[in-house]
């Protein structure tokens, strides 16, 4: 398969690339110039990416930002930024990407645990993650040519908890999270919210 991975250099993206390389042809993307350059927050750059990379069998996104702040401090700009980057960036990857994906291909997006288990500070992140899950169920219904659409909802990743100096005990290693994306790309399911676990 020819697979576009947006967020290829990230905590989740790196083990995902490692799990897929050798088996599939990978097109790696992020905001860095050393890759196929794309900014999810910039609609023109998504359209330009699809124009450059040509036909694909799968599009995976492990990228996009949303602001984490106490509710009273979340500004209009914080909500707008979060929706433009992580939410609409991934929605637009699907909307603009259908014509680039071959029959029976797939999209795999990323939401996150804060959709289902909010915490203090997650107002914008929980909004965006929940919206992505609703969008995925609806987009899967209308996707043409047997194209599948799924979203992976990662729990806290162990490496991220360590980087944030938080207790890593409740985290899942990124390598386990990456397996859930591989299952979405190589499997048959569509319209699903996939929650990675140690057994994936
Ligand atoms: N890590 C966790 O614990 C966790 C838990 C639940 C959900 N998630 C979600 O999973 C996704 C990936 O998380 P992560 O921890 O792997 O993040 P990360 O380590 O910060 O990596 C993010 C990746 O996405 C790219 N990226 C960021 N913003 C982008 C943009 N606007 N356009 C294109 N590429 C962009 C980054 O590269 P450049 O900076 O070069 O663009 C990098 O490759 C995020 O949406 C996050 O909310 C993460």
């Amino acid at each position: 398969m020819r697979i576009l991975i947006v967020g290829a250099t990230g905590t989740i993206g790196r083990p995902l690339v490692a799990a897929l390389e050798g088996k599939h042809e990978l097109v790696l993307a992020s905001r860095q110039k050393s890759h196929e350059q794309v900014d999810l927050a910039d609609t023109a750059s998504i359209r330009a990416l699809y124009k450059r990379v040509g036909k694909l069998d799968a599009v995976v996104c492990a990228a996009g930002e949303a602001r984490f702040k106490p509710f009273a401090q979340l500004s209009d700009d914080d909500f707008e930024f979060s929706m433009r980057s992580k939410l609409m960036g991934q929605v637009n990857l699907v909307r603009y990407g259908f014509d680039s994906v071959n029959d029976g291909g797939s999209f795999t997006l990323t939401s996150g645990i804060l959709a289902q288990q909010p915490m203090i500070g997650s107002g914008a992140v929980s909004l965006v993650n929940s919206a992505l899950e609703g969008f995925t169920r609806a987009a899967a219904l209308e996707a043409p040519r047997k194209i599948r659409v799924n979203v992976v909802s990662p729990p806290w990743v162990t490496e991220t908890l360590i980087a944030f100096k938080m207790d890593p005990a409740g985290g899942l290693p990124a390598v386990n999270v990456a397996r859930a994306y591989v299952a979405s790309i190589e499997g048959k399911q569509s319209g699903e919210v996939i929650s990675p676990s140690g057994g994936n």
Side-chain angles (χ1 to χ4, degrees), residues 117-192:
Q117 294 178 31
M119 60 194 285
I120 301 292
S122 77
V125 183
S126 297
L127 166 76
V128 160
N129 287 350
S130 302
L132 283 162
E133 295 178 5
F135 170 76
T136 296
R137 293 188 192 97
L141 283 180
E142 296 194 46
R145 298 180 284 105
K146 298 203 163 118
I147 293 173
R148 300 178 298 108
V149 187
N150 294 300
V151 61
V152 173
S153 176
W156 283 101
V157 175
T158 307
E159 289 87 338
T160 301
L161 290 172
I162 291 168
F164 289 174
K165 302 197 184 332
M166 289 161 70
D167 180 4
L172 189 67
V175 70
N176 294 58
V177 174
R179 285 190 202 119
Y181 291 80
V182 177
S184 172
I185 296 162
E186 296 181 346
K188 299 264 178 255
Q189 70 270 55
S190 191
E192 288 195 11

Side-chain angles (χ1 to χ4, degrees), residues 22-173:
K23 266 164 80 182
H24 301 286
E25 181 190 345
L26 305 183
V27 180
L28 307 185
S30 76
R31 288 169 300 189
Q32 286 169 35
K33 283 208 175 93
S34 51
H35 293 97
E36 283 297 342
Q37 207 174 7
V38 65
D39 182 353
L40 288 174
D42 174 357
T43 53
S45 88
I46 300 174
R47 289 189 193 277
L49 173 73
Y50 279 126
K51 227 177 203 174
R52 285 198 309 275
V53 301
K55 288 288 180 187
L56 300 159
D57 299 296
V59 174
V60 186
C61 184
E65 297 172 301
R67 300 241 165 95
F68 188 91
K69 281 183 185 176
F71 197 76
Q73 291 171 28
L74 278 170
S75 65
D76 290 355
D77 177 65
D78 291 326
F79 277 104
E80 199 274 332
F81 171 84
S82 305
M83 290 193 281
R84 183 159 34 89
S85 177
K86 186 169 177 178
L87 175 56
M88 288 312 296
Q90 296 194 84
V91 167
N92 288 334
L93 263 187
V94 175
R95 294 176 62 227
Y96 304 159
F98 277 135
D99 287 347
S100 299
V101 171
N102 293 321
D103 294 6
S106 67
F107 292 87
T108 305
L109 309 181
T110 299
S111 60
I113 184 76
L114 294 173
Q116 310 300 334
Q117 294 178 31
M119 60 194 285
I120 301 292
S122 77
V125 183
S126 297
L127 166 76
V128 160
N129 287 350
S130 302
L132 283 162
E133 295 178 5
F135 170 76
T136 296
R137 293 188 192 97
L141 283 180
E142 296 194 46
R145 298 180 284 105
K146 298 203 163 118
I147 293 173
R148 300 178 298 108
V149 187
N150 294 300
V151 61
V152 173
S153 176
W156 283 101
V157 175
T158 307
E159 289 87 338
T160 301
L161 290 172
I162 291 168
F164 289 174
K165 302 197 184 332
M166 289 161 70
D167 180 4
L172 189 67

